[in-house]
């Protein structure tokens, strides 16, 4: 080996080849995702598929689109929950909703919506604030299976106790049970909440801005991106947001150290809500 050249393990090489293969074969771009996160998820996939090596997994998914669809579930589904981090929703209720109320119509983008828990939570919040009827919620993700689950609005009954506690801590105005019907092991949420939600495929890695919005909520997604892809996502959010629009992030995410830091100001620091600068 020539002196001064970087060294890569066989696993590093295999992982890079797998990610390149997924992009070339299926146009899903994970090339700027956090390597540490990808390694963890690929290890889960190896166990799921019974593959001894990443190369074996690559061969499997390249020749079997159904196997790729299964792999996509492992690579893209983060942990979620209704009214997760209730202080975030309480801050939206107290500091953002009064401003949104001044607009005749409102557009909200929930990026990386996964299986939809935050989407339905946002719809409930907007209804309680009297804003849902004049709001369009764009709920986007790269995973079609997750989008389908989000569209259904059915969540495990076993989670409802925790979701109810979150809702109450977020300043909920009603009994949470008013919003769903329990059946078997699931809770079916009020269909009328979905009337103002548009579910769509969208990749923060490769796609462009599609609408002007007043609030972008992208929580616990950017932690899986490297710095380059985070900056791309912040650029999309900035370009999407209207004058003085709002950006909500996850508890471990911030715009502060990105190249877009000067384009946003902190509104609620602990709750990770930012506002586009004038």
């Amino acid at each position: 080996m020539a002196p001064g050249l970087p060294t890569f393990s066989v696993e590093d090489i295999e992982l890079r080849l797998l990610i390149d293969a997924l992009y070339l074969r299926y146009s899903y771009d994970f090339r700027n995702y956090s390597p540490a996160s990808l390694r963890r998820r690929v290890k889960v996939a190896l166990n799921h598929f019974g593959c001894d090596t990443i190369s074996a997994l690559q061969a499997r998914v390249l020749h079997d689109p159904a196997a790729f669809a299964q792999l996509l579930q492992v690579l893209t589904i983060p942990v979620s929950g209704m009214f997760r981090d209730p202080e975030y929703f309480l801050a939206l209720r107290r500091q953002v909703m009064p401003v949104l109320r001044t607009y005749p119509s409102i557009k909200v983008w929930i990026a990386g919506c996964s299986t939809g828990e935050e989407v339905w939570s946002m719809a409930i919040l907007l209804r309680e604030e009297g804003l849902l009827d004049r709001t369009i919620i764009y709920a986007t993700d790269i995973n079609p299976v997750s989008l389908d689950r989000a569209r259904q609005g059915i969540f495990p009954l076993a989670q409802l106790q925790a979701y109810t506690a979150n809702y109450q801590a977020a300043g909920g105005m009603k009994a949470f049970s008013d919003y769903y019907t329990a059946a078997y092991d699931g809770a079916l949420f009020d269909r009328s909440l979905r009337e103002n939600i548009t579910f769509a495929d969208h990749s923060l890695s490769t796609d462009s801005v599609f609408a002007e919005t007043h609030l972008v909520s992208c929580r616990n997604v950017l932690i899986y991106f490297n710095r380059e892809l985070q900056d791309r996502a912040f650029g999309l959010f900035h370009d999407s947001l209207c004058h003085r629009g709002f950006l909500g992030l996850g508890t471990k995410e911030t715009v502060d150290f990105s190249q877009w830091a000067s384009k946003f100001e902190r509104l609620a620091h602990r709750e990770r809500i930012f506002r586009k600068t004038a």
Side-chain angles (χ1 to χ4, degrees):
M1 180 180 297
L5 291 178
T7 58
F8 298 96
S9 68
V10 172
E11 186 179 85
D12 288 338
I13 296 170
E14 286 184 308
L15 181 61
R16 185 168 180 174
L17 291 173
L18 170 66
I19 298 310
D20 284 344
L22 296 181
Y23 179 65
L24 293 171
R25 177 73 170 87
Y26 298 104
S27 299
Y28 278 80
D29 192 354
F30 295 97
R31 293 174 298 174
N32 285 312
Y33 277 55
S34 161
S37 173
L38 283 173
R39 287 191 191 94
R40 288 194 300 270
R41 296 188 178 208
V42 167
K43 286 181 179 178
V44 173
L46 290 175
N47 183 64
H48 173 81
F49 286 99
C51 295
D52 293 327
T53 66
I54 299 176
S55 293
L57 176 63
Q58 176 182 319
R60 178 87 172 268
V61 299
L62 276 179
H63 297 283
D64 183 358
F68 167 70
Q70 295 178 46
L71 176 61
L72 190 61
Q73 307 314 304
V74 178
L75 295 181
T76 61
I77 296 183
V79 176
S80 189
M82 296 197 73
F83 290 94
R84 185 185 182 193
D85 304 319
E87 62 275 6
Y88 171 77
F89 288 92
L90 186 59
L92 288 179
R93 190 186 292 273
R94 290 175 173 174
Q95 297 178 256
V96 176
M97 295 300 151
V99 179
L100 296 187
R101 194 170 287 115
T102 65
Y103 293 99
S105 62
I106 304 160
K107 293 181 180 178
V108 176
W109 177 15
I110 301 183
C113 72
S114 186
T115 46
E117 287 85 346
E118 180 167 333
V119 180
W120 289 83
S121 301
M122 187 69 73
I124 290 170
L125 173 60
L126 287 163
R127 171 163 289 178
E128 293 189 347
E129 295 298 318
L131 298 175
L132 185 59
D133 289 344
R134 50 180 154 134
T135 299
I136 297 175
I137 301 174
Y138 299 107
T140 65
D141 202 89
I142 64 171
N143 188 326
V145 174
S146 293
L147 281 172
D148 187 56
R149 289 180 58 189
R151 192 178 291 110
Q152 291 175 21
I154 301 174
F155 302 105
L157 204 57
Q159 301 295 326
L160 265 294
Q161 183 175 354
Y163 293 172
T164 299
N166 287 346
Y167 165 75
Q168 292 170 342
M173 298 177 176
K174 301 174 66 177
F176 193 50
S177 57
D178 290 346
Y179 292 108
Y180 65 86
T181 302
Y184 301 102
D185 295 327
L188 174 66
F189 275 74
D190 185 349
R191 300 293 88 185
S192 67
L193 293 169
R194 195 177 63 183
E195 294 175 0
N196 294 55
I197 304 173
T198 298
F199 294 94
D201 178 275
H202 183 275
S203 171
L204 296 173
S205 299
T206 57
D207 292 331
S208 303
V209 170
F210 56 87
E212 183 180 63
T213 57
H214 302 84
L215 166 64
V216 174
S217 187
C218 182
R219 304 175 65 233
N220 307 304
V221 175
L222 302 182
I223 54 174
Y224 301 109
F225 295 174
N226 66 12
R227 180 60 62 85
E228 180 181 348
L229 186 51
Q230 287 178 2
D231 280 338
R232 185 184 198 278
F234 286 134
L236 292 178
F237 301 154
H238 179 272
D239 292 346
S240 173
L241 286 169
C242 67
H243 176 73
R244 303 289 285 149
F246 299 93
L247 171 64
L249 302 176
T251 56
K252 297 180 180 179
E253 299 166 334
T254 181
V255 71
D256 287 345
F257 305 106
S258 75
Q259 68 182 46
W260 295 90
S262 64
K263 304 296 184 180
F264 291 90
E265 62 186 23
R266 299 178 187 179
L267 178 69
H269 177 64
R270 191 166 63 89
E271 294 83 4
R272 295 295 197 269
I273 299 175
F274 301 82
R275 194 170 189 184
K276 186 175 178 180
T277 55

